[in-house]
Amino acid sequence: MFDGLKKKLSDAVKTFVKSEANPVPARSEEKPEVPEQQSAPGPERQSDIQQVQVHNNEENAKEIASNPSEAPNVGARQAEPDPPRAEKKGVPKQSGEALVKFSLSTKVKKAFSGSVKLSEKETDDFLDKIRISMLQSDVSLEVTEGIMADMKSRLADSAIDSKNMTAALLGIVRSALVDTLAKTKEGVDIYAYIDDKIKSNATPVRILFIGSNGTGKTTTISKIAYRLKSSGITCVMSASDTFRAAAIEQTEYHANRIGVPVIKSKYGADPASIAFDAIAYAKSRGIAVVLIDSAGRQETNKNLLNEMHKIVRIAQPDITIFVGESTAGSVIAEQVKDMSKSVKIDGIILTKLDCDARGGNAISISSVTGIPILFFGVGEAYDALVPYSPDFILNSIMPN
Ligand SMILES: Nc1nc2c(ncn2[C@@H]2O[C@H](COP(=O)(O)OP(=O)(O)OP(=O)(O)O)[C@@H](O)[C@H]2O)c(=O)[nH]1
Ligand SMILES: [Mg+2]
């Protein structure tokens, strides 16, 4: 996850530093154009492919239910060092920093201070490279431009250590990302929320999960049920997707594996009344949390939207979560915006981040929709759900 963006950013900075280089000192001042991309093509796709982990659901669930530590820890994937680059024939072996070419005025300043300010053109060239990396990685245009503006003022204000150009520029990218992520709205910590409700005897907490088809709603509910059960908190699953074939059996399968009750009915039955029954069941048995599944729906499907309104009216969820797959790219922001016209969404869970090398949604979706991300789904295992944190994103994106 994020590996594509991480590599793009790293390459953009290194390419900038290198493209300012002049391997032929005598002609350096006259040569206006330098090849843009000097790194070898190919490895990005390779790393994208390597990180997609395919698990057999059934085997996985068995293993994890009996031994959670066996679950693949996709979130903890370490950054791999950049592959060594071949030296070009005839080019003297020097560090990238030693090859940096600056404008004359920059050079003069550098000679006195050991640090430099980029000229306006140098700044624009650099920002262009970062801008392209972000846009290609699904960071929204609006958020990308915000990051560019932040970086531009940082570059204007700060002198860069000329001996450590790559690290200094990456530091500026990092600071701009920190600023952007800090501006996003903080979401509810659902586990703390549940604890509070338990302490104040205000249970059951009702959590409704909505979203398009196949985004990972049922799997995510199972992950949360697994986490609750592991912490000794009782919950019941409401199999309120009575629409898709095998949806009820799927919910039941996970509930049985995890060891939590499930309330179900027949296909075609009213999803709202199943949620109602699940809430009544929880009340009568002192169960703390009701996790309400729902059928995948598009914001254009009127019948399913009406059905969702009915679930909301009857179940009165404390928290409504939109589950969207990160791999859907910019479409997901539109889905959230459209859906939130019909129902109040409290948070987003972005799933399948392990399958999405771009990962830009994780940076921009909260800013674009105004709705916070609560968790990232990073695999199919029950413990592959990571609470949202800017540090998780930054540490995954920024080269060490
Ligand atoms: N790699 C990966 N796969 C996931 C993740 N979350 C869910 N999946 C897989 O995505 C597929 C669909 O997941 P479901 O939980 O059935 O999705 P859903 O939203 O309930 O689907 P519908 O009920 O059809 O609307 C399953 O194969 C899941 O195992 C994730 O974070 N990473
Ligand atoms: Mg489902």
Side-chain angles (χ1 to χ4, degrees):
M1 76 202 93
F2 296 117
D3 280 19
L5 177 54
K6 181 177 185 169
K7 187 174 186 314
K8 277 194 168 69
L9 285 177
S10 174
D11 281 355
V13 172
K14 286 178 188 164
T15 308
F16 171 75
V17 170
K18 273 199 160 186
S19 70
E20 293 299 308
N22 174 24
V24 190
R27 307 183 66 196
S28 62
E29 304 287 331
E30 297 137 39
K31 199 177 166 192
E33 293 295 329
V34 183
E36 279 250 312
Q37 195 69 36
Q38 297 186 1
S39 57
E44 183 184 331
R45 283 311 315 158
Q46 183 69 20
S47 67
D48 289 1
I49 292 162
Q50 278 170 357
Q51 68 177 317
V52 177
Q53 303 199 5
V54 180
H55 305 293
N56 177 304
N57 240 358
E58 204 159 321
E59 288 305 316
N60 223 8
K62 268 188 211 160
E63 265 180 38
I64 296 154
S66 60
N67 184 3
S69 63
E70 292 288 321
N73 191 358
V74 190
R77 197 167 178 276
Q78 292 294 311
E80 281 153 24
D82 283 322
R85 290 171 188 227
E87 293 297 331
K88 276 191 180 169
K89 271 190 182 168
V91 177
K93 198 181 169 192
Q94 298 178 67
S95 74
E97 282 76 19
L99 287 169
V100 172
K101 171 198 159 196
F102 301 107
S103 67
L104 189 59
S105 67
T106 307
K107 267 183 180 171
V108 173
K109 284 180 204 145
K110 185 183 159 211
F112 287 104
S113 66
S115 60
V116 288
K117 256 189 184 178
L118 299 185
S119 70
E120 207 166 318
K121 182 181 179 309
E122 288 161 348
T123 300
D124 287 345
D125 286 352
F126 177 59
L127 292 181
D128 274 351
K129 289 184 166 58
I130 300 296
R131 179 182 284 109
I132 290 167
S133 306
M134 299 233 167
L135 292 174
Q136 284 178 341
S137 304
D138 286 343
V139 182
S140 75
L141 180 63
E142 183 189 331
V143 171
T144 300
E145 288 311 327
I147 294 171
M148 293 307 111
D150 187 318
M151 285 177 59
K152 191 161 188 159
S153 72
R154 283 174 189 280
L155 287 165
D157 292 345
S158 50
I160 295 161
D161 177 1
S162 58
K163 293 206 177 63
N164 214 352
M165 191 92 183
T166 303
L169 290 174
L170 281 170
I172 285 182
V173 178
R174 186 186 178 97
S175 301
L177 282 172
V178 169
D179 276 4
T180 303
L181 294 172
K183 278 183 218 146
T184 55
K185 202 168 140 192
E186 208 178 316
V188 58
D189 174 341
I190 67 164
Y191 299 124
Y193 182 91
I194 290 167
D195 282 345
D196 284 351
K197 292 288 180 184
I198 292 172
K199 277 184 202 136
S200 56
N201 274 327
T203 56
V205 173
R206 307 132 197 238
I207 309 180
L208 171 64
F209 296 80
I210 60 172
S212 304
N213 307 72
T215 57
K217 294 177 294 300
T218 308
T219 307
T220 304
I221 289 173
S222 309
K223 290 175 181 179
I224 291 174
Y226 174 78
R227 160 71 168 74
L228 292 171
K229 168 100 179 170
S230 310
S231 330
I233 296 170
T234 50
C235 69
V236 55
M237 284 161 76
S238 171
S240 295
D241 179 357
T242 58
F243 184 73
R244 179 176 63 76
I248 297 172
E249 287 79 3
Q250 184 193 7
T251 310
E252 208 172 10
Y253 167 82
H254 285 300
N256 290 341
R257 280 278 155 212
I258 297 161
V260 299
V262 58
I263 301 300
K264 59 171 188 167
S265 182
K266 291 193 288 265
Y267 286 99
D270 178 14
S273 66
I274 298 167
F276 182 85
D277 288 349
I279 293 164
Y281 178 92
K283 280 182 179 165
S284 68
R285 288 170 175 75
I287 288 174
V289 184
V290 183
L291 301 168
I292 306 166
D293 200 358
S294 69
R297 68 201 70 219
Q298 306 300 331
E299 54 290 350
T300 46
N301 186 325
K302 277 236 160 72
N303 286 343
L304 282 172
L305 278 186
N306 288 338
E307 184 189 279
M308 186 175 69
H309 291 145
K310 190 170 175 194
I311 300 176
V312 171
R313 209 169 56 244
I314 305 280
Q316 298 190 352
D318 297 281
I319 303 170
T320 300
I321 298 177
F322 181 91
V323 180
E325 52 189 359
S326 167
T327 39
S330 55
V331 171
I332 186 176
E334 296 312 314
Q335 289 174 344
V336 174
K337 280 200 237 171
D338 283 342
M339 198 77 96
S340 61
K341 285 179 200 153
S342 310
V343 59
K344 181 179 168 289
I345 299 173
D346 300 295
I348 297 169
I349 295 183
L350 213 50
T351 60
K352 309 189 189 180
L353 213 62
D354 53 311
C355 304
D356 182 15
R358 294 163 301 179
N361 266 320
I363 297 172
S364 59
I365 198 160
S366 291
S367 304
V368 174
T369 61
I371 300 171
I373 301 176
L374 306 182
F375 291 97
F376 294 122
V378 294
E380 293 179 292
Y382 289 141
D383 66 351
L385 191 67
V386 180
Y388 172 84
S389 92
D391 282 349
F392 173 75
I393 299 175
L394 284 166
N395 294 338
S396 307
I397 293 173
M398 294 312 298
N400 294 330

